[in-house]
Amino acid sequence: MFLELKAQAISILKDAIRKVGFEIEDSELYFETSSHADLTSRAAFRLASLYKKNPKEIASRIVSAIEIPDGSYVGEVNASGPYINFRAGRHYLNRTVAAVLEEKEKFGCGAPKDRILLEHTSANPNGPLHVGHIRNSILGDTLARILKRAGHDVEVQYYVNDMGRQIAVVSWACERFELDLSRKSDAAIADVYIKANSELDKNPEYVKEIDALMENVEVGDIRTIERFDKAVFMAIAGIKETLLRLNVVHDKFVNESRFLKSGAVHDIVERIKATGRTKTDKGAIVVDLSDYGFEKTLVIQRSNGTSLYTTRDLAYHEWKAGQADRIIDVFGADHKLISGQLRATLNAIGIKEPEVVIFEFVSLPEGSMSTRRGQFISADDLFDRVTEAALEQVETRRPETAYEFKKQIAEMVGMGAVRYDIVRVSPEKSTVFNWKEALDFEKQGAPYIQYSHARACSILEKAKEEVTWNSSGKIDSSLLIEDSEIDLVKKMAMFDSIIDLAARELKPHVLAIYARELADAFNQFYRFVPVIASEDEEVRAARLALVECARIVLANSLDTLGIEAPESM
RNA sequence: GGGCUCGUGGCUUAGCCUGGAUAUAGCGCUGGGCUUCUAACCCAGACGUCGGGGGUUCAAAUCCCUUCGAGCCCGCCA
C-alpha cells in the first residue's frame, strides 16, 4: 500500500515542479519517511542549489502548484520550511483496510520475481549446531521467507561438507573412540571429535592417518567413503532435528562429494588453468587473483593431487549458477576473504557470482566458539533453557490452563524469543552471548509481538460470543477516525514496503523492527479505543474489522520472521 | 605488520551506503495506571562529547583524512 502512496506522491510532486518551471531527476526528489508526515520530500534543497534560490521559497512555490487528483491516496500536501510534507488521505486508509481483509495471509506479497538459490547454515557435520551457527540459520531462513513474500521463487540449500579434513578427523574419531549412543547423535559425534583433536595435538604422527583417509576418499575407496558417510549422517540427523525445532527449513542438502564424483571438480580446475592465471607452487596449483585485489594466491589443488573445500565450492557454485537467476550465500565473517576469492575466480571463468551476506561472530565471554576445542554452547542447550524459562512464565501468568497448553506456548514463546533476539540486530555487529539476556522475556521482543496477536485473537473470539458480528459483512472504515486507529492502519500499510526494502537490501532486521512497531501501534489502539464496548454498532463493526486486520498483519509479520503466532498465551 | 567490520545514554540497539526539521527504540532507573476486550500491557520522567582529533559543506552520527579501542581474516583447514 505504502509503495502506491509513494508512487502517487512522486507523480504529484513531479507535476508541480514542472508547472513552476523547474527540472529535476526522479532520483533527486529525495523522498523519506519522517515523524513530521507520512512522506517527506527534500527536493527543495536540491532545486535550491540547482537554481541558486532559497529552498523555503521553492518549497512553498511548489506546494502552491500541487494538484491532488480525485481518489488519490495523498490527502494533503504542505510545506514546512524547505520540506514538502505529504499526508495520506482517507482513500489510502480505507483501501488499506479493504486490501488486508481481501488478501489476508497474502497481504504484503509482491509480484512474481526471479528465481533465487539461497545457501545458509552449511555447518560442518562434526558436532551439533551452536549459538554462532544459528545466527546463520536464522538470518538465512528469515531472508528466504522475506524473499518469498517479496515474490521470488526461492530454493534453500545446505551444503554438506562430507569429505574435508575435519570430516576425516570425525571418521577417524569414530573408529578410535566409542560413540555414546544414549546422546543425541550430533552431540555424540562432537564428543569423539573433540577427543580426537586433542589426541592429534599430542601425537602429530597421527596426521598421516588423516591424510591417508582423505586420499582414499578422493580416489573413491568404498570402505572409507562408507565410514565418512556414517559419521556425516549421524551429525546431520542431529542438526536437522535442531533446525526443525528452530522452524528453519531447507529444500535440499547437497553433498560436497558429488562434485568430485561427477568430475565437476576436475573440469573446473581445467577451466581455471585455461585462463592462464594458475601456476605451480611446491607441487600445488594456485590461482593468481592479484588483478582482483587479492595479494594471496588461492590454492585449488594440493601437492598430493587432492581437491580442497574451495575447489569443490567452486564446482558447487557453477552448478548453482545454472539453476537460478541469483545466488545468495549466508556466511560467517571468517569467510570474508575466501568468499571474495571464490567470487573473483568464478568471475574469471565467466560464471555468475553469488551475492554474499556476511554476519559477524557470536562469541562467549571467554572467547570465540570452537567445536574442535569443545568450547561452545549448543543450540539445543539454549533452546531447552529458553523454553524452560518460558514455561515458568506461562505457569505464573496462566496457572489455570492445561499442561499441554503451557508446554505449547512455552515452545512458541521461547523459540520466538531466540529467533527475534538474533534477527533484530544487524548482521555486521559482533555479539557476545549472555545467558541472562538470552533468558530475559521482559524486554520488547518476540513475546511482545506474539502477545499483541493473542490479544487481537481474544477480542475477535469474545466478539463472536458476546455480540452479533458478521466478520464477512460490509464495514465502513471511514468510521476509524481516532489517532490510534489511523496510526495503526498506516503502520499496517507499511508492510509491503518493509518487505520490499528487506528483500532488496537483504536486511531482515528491518522486518524485526517493523513487527515490534506494529505491535506497539496495536497495543496503543487497544489501550485507548474500546472495541466490543463501542456503543455504536457500525463503529464496533469497523473496529472489529480493524482488529482482524491487525491480527492478519501481525501474523504475516511473525510468519515471515519464522515465529509462531499463538491465538492465546 | 596488512586487509575487512564494528564503536551511538549504565547496558543492548536503529539511523550511516543515498548529508538536511527536536538522534531511534528497548532493558534498567524514577513516578503513575487493572470493578472495562489478556497488565507478557499502557502513560509520564531522568539519562547522549553519536570513541577522540582534524577536514569538506549553507548543513556531518552520516562523506574524507587521522588516531584509539574491539572482533574477524591473512593455512596445501573449512
Side-chain angles (χ1 to χ4, degrees), chain A residues 119-121 132-141 330-332 359:
Chain A
E119 176 197 341
H120 71 76
T121 309
H133 295 130
I134 61 170
R135 190 172 193 189
N136 190 324
S137 309
I138 292 166
L139 196 53
D141 186 66
V330 182
F331 290 151
F359 66 94

Side-chain angles (χ1 to χ4, degrees), chain A residues 306-354:
Chain A
T306 58
S307 62
L308 290 95
Y309 157 83
T310 315
T311 331
R312 294 171 317 249
D313 208 19
L314 283 163
Y316 174 45
H317 277 84
E318 178 188 30
W319 180 74
K320 286 200 282 192
Q323 301 176 58
D325 303 298
R326 288 170 67 191
I327 312 298
I328 298 174
D329 296 331
V330 182
F331 290 151
D334 53 339
H335 279 62
K336 260 185 237 181
L337 176 61
I338 191 69
S339 64
Q341 290 172 321
L342 176 90
R343 286 173 48 128
T345 309
L346 289 169
N347 181 279
I349 53 176
I351 294 172
K352 184 160 46 204
E353 300 164 50

Side-chain angles (χ1 to χ4, degrees), chain A residues 364-432:
Chain A
L364 298 175
E366 54 268 38
S368 63
M369 272 181 274
S370 158
T371 306
R372 196 175 63 78
R373 295 199 310 271
Q375 188 176 81
F376 61 88
I377 291 168
S378 76
D380 296 324
D381 204 4
L382 171 66
F383 299 170
D384 286 345
R385 289 187 56 177
V386 128
T387 51
E388 202 178 298
L391 185 59
E392 278 175 32
Q393 292 289 323
V394 187
E395 263 159 2
T396 59
R397 293 167 202 270
R398 301 295 300 277
E400 80 288 1
T401 57
Y403 181 71
E404 270 313 301
F405 172 88
K406 287 176 183 147
K407 266 302 231 198
Q408 210 183 336
I409 298 306
E411 188 70 18
M412 288 186 187
V413 167
M415 298 308 294
V418 168
R419 284 194 69 132
Y420 191 86
D421 246 14
I422 289 174
V423 82
R424 62 178 247 274
V425 336
S426 41
E428 60 269 19
K429 231 104 172 177
S430 54
T431 60
V432 178

Side-chain angles (χ1 to χ4, degrees), chain A residues 476-490:
Chain A
D476 180 5
S477 43
S478 293
L479 297 172
L480 302 171
I481 51 168
E482 299 293 333
D483 284 350
S484 65
E485 293 174 326
I486 291 167
D487 288 347
L488 177 56
V489 175
K490 284 181 179 174

Side-chain angles (χ1 to χ4, degrees), chain A residues 86-103:
Chain A
F86 292 74
R87 199 160 287 281
R90 199 71 240 176
H91 290 298
Y92 179 66
L93 303 175
N94 291 352
R95 184 61 209 139
T96 298
V97 170
V100 176
L101 293 175
E102 278 163 30
E103 297 168 27

